[in-house]
Each structure stands twice: as structure tokens, then as C-alpha cells.
Amino acid sequence: DFVRATEECLRAPVDAQGACIKRLGQLSGADTKDPPRSTENYCASVPSEFYKDCILGGLRQVIRVNGIDSTGTAASFCSALSGSVAKEICYDDYAHQLKDMFNDTKQRLSLCGLFEGPYQESCRVNQE
């Protein structure tokens, strides 16, 4: 019950609320046929100050499930989000995480090529 769980997150100490919502964002796309849509639908229901945390939770779930993502599954998750704000949050965070995932700049740049057009250049700049 995500409504009740969100209410509980909002009762937590202020400094823990974002992490709690992020975890619910992670869970919202787990075990569904359409993780991006499920995550985005849930995140639309949280208070706006936690929207970013929520979207990042969904992305982290995809990365957690797929491990070091050399096939671009996380980029596909970002691409499948419908809202431009959600896409920007998702692609930006994923681009920053690539440095932690891969030592090889060439491999990171190759994954940037899987990003949708408007986000590719930003990803490439982050890899240098």
C-alpha cells in the first residue's frame, strides 16, 4: 500500500523522508511489467519536494537488478519515462553513475550514445 507507506515516510524525521520516498520509488517499479510507468505513476503522487528522490529510486532499482549495466538497461528505463522532468532527473543521475560503474571512458561514452538525443551531449561532458 504505497499511499500508507508514503504517509509513514512523511511522519519520519525530516532528514529521513527523502531516503524513505527514494526506497518507495525503488519498490514501485519492482515486480511490474512496466517499471518506468509504475515508478512515474507513483512518483507523481508524492509531494513535489520528493519527486526527484522518487525517480532516482526507480533508476536505482533498475541498476540494482541489472548490476553493472553494460547493455544500457538503465538508459532504456530513462527513455521510457514520459515526463521531461523525470527524464532529465534520470539521465543526469545515470550519467554521473557511469563513472562509478566503468573505468573505461570509451565504454562510458558508448553508453552515452544510448541516451536520447537531448541528453547525449550532457552525458558525454560528464565523462571527461
Side-chain angles (χ1 to χ4, degrees):
D1 183 348
F2 282 97
V3 171
R4 287 183 54 198
T6 301
E7 290 169 356
E8 289 302 316
C9 283
L10 298 176
R11 287 188 192 99
V14 174
D15 61 341
Q17 291 175 0
C20 186
I21 295 291
K22 185 182 282 184
R23 179 67 177 129
L24 291 177
Q26 238 181 311
L27 294 171
S28 67
D31 301 324
T32 67
K33 292 182 182 192
D34 191 355
R37 185 74 54 229
S38 295
T39 298
E40 202 166 21
N41 286 341
Y42 167 65
C43 294
S45 74
V46 304
S48 60
E49 65 265 33
F50 299 114
Y51 184 76
K52 180 177 181 175
D53 293 313
C54 187
I55 293 294
L56 293 179
L59 174 62
R60 300 279 162 78
Q61 174 67 12
V62 171
I63 292 171
R64 186 186 70 76
V65 167
N66 293 291
I68 300 299
D69 185 20
S70 61
T71 62
T73 305
S76 295
F77 174 85
C78 295
S79 175
L81 295 169
S82 64
S84 60
V85 172
K87 285 179 186 273
E88 184 175 338
I89 291 166
C90 190
Y91 279 120
D92 183 59
D93 190 69
Y94 182 44
H96 284 92
Q97 287 192 56
L98 287 176
K99 282 188 171 182
D100 294 330
M101 291 183 204
F102 303 101
N103 291 326
D104 181 25
T105 303
K106 191 173 185 177
Q107 189 171 21
R108 292 193 312 263
L109 291 172
S110 174
L111 285 166
C112 287
L114 300 175
F115 284 37
E116 289 177 86
Y119 308 100
Q120 280 185 15
E121 184 58 30
S122 175
C123 181
R124 287 187 174 109
V125 168
N126 280 312
Q127 304 314 313
E128 298 175 7

